[in-house]
């Protein structure tokens, strides 16, 4: 009844949830959607008896104006996760290869395996950054898709414009490169590639962004891709009918139109991120340009704090949830109050 390789698909593990704890285990906003966004979504909910706009035409136009593109160059999906899955569906067949950094977004290998392609993880460099030269070296004649997460999740590190250009100069024109910018709004690096700029020279680059992080719409599920209109048209062929609900569309439109309010929230998150980086400097955290901070496994062990899983368990006992990976722990930056709670828990755990 089922595919022979179904057991090979890894299970995506979401961040832990405990209503009595401070949740810093998922890279989401601690704030609810902006008031004007909530109003727009409530108005849309009153018409939930009707199907949503299947072509997402109004949101695509708003995004096109925001990006400086045409609507034909924009595709909207049920979260950027679904959009990334579509990239694999439109490029890969069984036996093809998908390259991505590791550790990075844990759904990348799932996308490859879902279409029968071979996932090719490329380890991060010694500074916990995406190793673009190693990724370029991993390209073969079977490579169809490459994911570059910038800033990278879960490390928050970025690549430079020069590094990305050198990387792209080695990538064949028939290989699609997805520049995953889920954390774009938090990135303040003076030198970092921006998809809307690099794709002017490299038409095989597709930008991918989301409303789940800075915009505070993680529960609404809206993501989007943009780039060459022929590539976007091909990706659109894999979209399921009505895959972006009307409430989500309304919320996303109102969010784009509320940039001033949004920027104040982003600024708050950046302050707390930088505060966490400074407070955890003794534990070797890399510089972050996302809404998260990363403590590598080796640094936890060197400080005699235990494995990432042990540290996460100890923090949970202090009322704070963070995310454990085999390679380290990830702490989401949110508000001053939640940063205070984490630092209190961290002091208790490290004092043992």
């Amino acid at each position: 009844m089922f595919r022979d390789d179904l057991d090979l698909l890894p299970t995506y593990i979401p961040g832990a949830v405990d209503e009595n704890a401070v949740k810093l285990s998922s890279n989401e906003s601690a704030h609810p959607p902006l008031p004007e966004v909530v109003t727009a979504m409530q108005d849309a909910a009153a018409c939930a008896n009707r199907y949503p706009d299947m072509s997402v035409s109004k949101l695509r136009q708003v995004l096109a104006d925001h990006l400086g593109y045409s609507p034909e160059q924009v595709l909207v999906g049920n979260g950027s996760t679904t959009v990334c899955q579509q990239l694999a569906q439109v490029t890969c067949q069984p036996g093809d290869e998908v390259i991505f950094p590791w550790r990075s977004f844990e759904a990348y290998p799932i996308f490859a395996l879902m279409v029968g392609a071979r996932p090719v993880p490329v380890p991060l460099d010694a500074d916990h950054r995406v190793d673009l030269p190693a990724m370029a070296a991993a390209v073969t004649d079977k490579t169809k898709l490459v994911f570059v997460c910038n800033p990278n999740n879960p490390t928050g590190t970025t690549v430079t414009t020069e590094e990305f250009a050198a990387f792209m100069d080695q990538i064949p024109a028939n290989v699609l490169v997805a520049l995953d910018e889920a954390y774009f709004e938090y990135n303040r690096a003076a030198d970092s590639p921006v998809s809307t700029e690099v794709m002017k020279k490299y038409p095989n680059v597709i930008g991918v962004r989301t409303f789940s992080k800075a915009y505070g719409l993680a529960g609404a599920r809206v993501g989007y891709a943009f780039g060459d209109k022929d590539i976007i048209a091909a990706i659109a062929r894999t979209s399921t009918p009505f895959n972006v609900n009307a409430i989500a569309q309304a919320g996303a439109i109102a969010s784009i139109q509320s940039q001033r309010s949004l920027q104040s929230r982003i600024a708050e998150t950046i302050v707390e991120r930088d505060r966490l980086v400074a407070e955890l400097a003794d534990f070797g955290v890399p510089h972050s340009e996302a809404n998260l901070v990363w403590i590598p496994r080796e640094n936890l062990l060197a400080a005699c704090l235990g494995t990432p899983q042990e540290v996460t368990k100890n923090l949970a006992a202090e009322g704070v949830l963070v995310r454990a990976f085999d390679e380290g722990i990830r702490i989401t930056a949110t508000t001053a109050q939640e940063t205070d709670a984490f630092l209190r828990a961290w002091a208790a755990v490290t004092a043992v």
Side-chain angles (χ1 to χ4, degrees), residues 129 132 148 150-151 158-165 168 179 181 184 187 189-198 209:
R129 300 172 66 239
L132 291 177
V148 177
N150 187 65
T158 58
V159 298
T160 68
T161 303
E162 182 179 356
E163 289 170 339
F164 190 76
M168 287 303 305
L179 187 52
E181 297 177 317
F184 174 79
N187 189 356
D191 182 18
S192 185
V194 177
S195 55
T196 50
E197 293 299 319
V198 299
R209 295 181 188 171

Side-chain angles (χ1 to χ4, degrees), residues 36-54:
E36 58 266 41
V37 174
V38 172
T39 298
M41 296 173 78
Q42 289 173 333
D43 291 344
C47 301
N49 57 305
R50 301 296 185 184
Y51 282 109
D53 174 9
M54 183 168 147

Side-chain angles (χ1 to χ4, degrees), residues 270-294:
I270 290 174
V271 167
E272 296 310 311
R273 174 195 73 197
D274 294 346
R275 180 182 169 202
L276 284 169
V277 170
E279 292 284 353
L280 299 172
D282 291 343
F283 296 91
V285 300
H287 177 73
S288 174
E289 289 293 342
N291 67 333
L292 54 91
V293 175
W294 175 250

